[in-house]
Amino acid sequence: MMQAPDAVHFQGVGQVFKTATGPLIALDQVNLTLARHEFVAVLGPSGCGKSTLLRLASGLLAPSAGRVSVFGTPMTRPRTDIGIVFQQPTLLPWASVLDNVVFPAKHMRGRVSQKDRAQGLEVLSKVGLSGFQDRLPSELSGGMQQRVGIARALFLNPDILLMDEPFSALDALTRDAMGYELLRLWQASPKTVMFITHSIPEAVLLADRILVMSARPGRVIADLTVPLSRPRDEHALRSAEIQDFAGHLRDLLIKREAA
Ligand code: ADP
Ligand code: MG
């Protein structure tokens, strides 16, 4: 029997950028796999190539070397079964919350149908923004704007969700709340998630598996399964086992910084 293809697969992926001071090796020989519906966090220091990795997985960037495939198909262009959440919500400032959420329909089909609008309202309710559809982004808090960005990514009901440090611009409390909310959404409607972060607690709370990256050149230096069952709560994070696991992650990150 044929095995189902991995949702995301990187094989020998390298990325070199031309810069004024010469070529910059952002990623070197990256191999990774995300199984369907797996929640994988990518953890690494600033500048190690996390956003580059995500752009390669999204098809927004073509690799300098190696291969990126999605559900067994080589990636050649952005796909509608992939939703992306950027670090900044990147909303259209003049468009209403609902118009921002249904923007992918407009972008793809040139128009927004009644059905699109109904679907837009539904995803807004899923991220806790019922009643805010007619507001402008500037009328919302940072956390709410980021939820609009998540709703927009969920709007086409993608199989794969790529998230680039989506909560890092938020205050600590909002950030925790958004993490639990994301877990709830993911449990209600499973998706393959690649979640980029530089926060160890965030990676541990959310992910099934954590890929640890080193900088210069960006490489995956560890691939670790989080020793926690689901559902998860604040309690789970306080166990001695999890504290040890987080300590191990910290060692991996610090050692590479110092090296
Ligand atoms: P991270 O998201 O982990 O902070 P990035 O993927 O944004 O890291 O960047 C990795 C490295 O590649 C950095 O040194 C960055 O300056 C460089 N880089 C990223 N994009 C470009 C680009 N378009 N042109 C030149 N250098 C880039
Ligand atoms: Mg980044």
Side-chain angles (χ1 to χ4, degrees):
M1 211 177 81
M2 274 257 296
Q3 227 189 326
D6 293 317
V8 179
H9 184 67
F10 279 48
Q11 196 181 342
V13 168
Q15 187 66 46
V16 180
F17 292 114
K18 283 189 200 120
T19 71
T21 51
L24 184 149
I25 304 172
L27 293 175
D28 183 46
Q29 280 295 322
V30 172
N31 299 302
L32 62 86
T33 295
L34 273 67
R36 183 149 192 259
H37 293 175
E38 197 176 21
F39 197 129
V40 175
V42 179
L43 181 68
S46 178
C48 74
K50 302 184 296 298
S51 294
T52 302
L53 196 75
L54 183 124
R55 286 169 65 217
L56 289 165
S58 72
L60 290 169
L61 184 69
S64 317
R67 256 193 327 193
V68 175
S69 27
V70 171
F71 294 121
T73 307
M75 173 69 91
T76 50
R77 64 177 74 86
R79 303 165 51 123
T80 55
D81 57 355
I82 298 181
I84 310 172
V85 181
F86 298 98
Q87 186 165 359
Q88 300 298 328
T90 60
L91 304 175
L92 302 170
W94 62 85
S96 71
V97 162
L98 182 59
D99 285 343
N100 269 286
V101 171
V102 301
F103 181 75
K106 186 157 180 131
H107 183 67
M108 265 174 30
R109 301 192 277 269
R111 61 184 289 273
V112 175
S113 67
Q114 269 315 312
K115 201 172 144 224
D116 290 330
R117 299 182 75 79
Q119 170 72 11
L121 289 173
E122 196 185 318
V123 288
L124 276 173
S125 85
K126 280 192 188 149
V127 299
L129 285 178
S130 288
F132 290 92
Q133 61 272 14
D134 296 326
R135 304 283 190 96
L136 289 174
S138 60
E139 297 173 306
L140 305 182
S141 68
M144 290 162 90
Q145 290 182 26
Q146 199 50 285
R147 282 168 206 232
V148 177
I150 293 170
R152 180 183 54 196
L154 294 174
F155 169 68
L156 294 174
N157 195 25
D159 275 300
I160 300 174
L161 194 55
L162 307 175
M163 308 182 87
D164 193 357
E165 305 198 37
F167 309 146
S168 65
L170 306 175
D171 64 84
L173 285 178
T174 310
R175 182 175 184 154
D176 286 353
M178 296 281 286
Y180 288 111
E181 196 161 313
L182 177 62
L183 281 183
R184 186 180 54 72
L185 283 168
W186 176 74
Q187 243 135 6
S189 169
K191 297 189 182 308
T192 311
V193 183
M194 179 187 271
F195 187 98
I196 307 275
T197 182
H198 59 244
S199 160
I200 292 173
E202 193 170 63
V204 170
L205 169 69
L206 296 175
D208 295 316
R209 199 149 56 83
I210 300 178
L211 305 179
V212 183
M213 290 185 68
S214 69
R216 275 171 294 271
R219 282 206 179 108
V220 176
I221 55 165
D223 179 345
L224 304 167
T225 299
V226 179
L228 268 183
S229 58
R230 296 187 189 272
R232 297 175 181 175
D233 55 22
E234 300 86 353
H235 228 70
L237 286 183
R238 292 196 208 109
S239 78
E241 188 190 8
I242 278 303
Q243 292 301 319
D244 279 357
F245 181 70
H248 177 53
L249 290 169
R250 207 163 294 124
D251 288 345
L252 283 170
L253 289 174
I254 290 169
K255 263 191 212 120
R256 298 303 282 203
E257 289 278 280

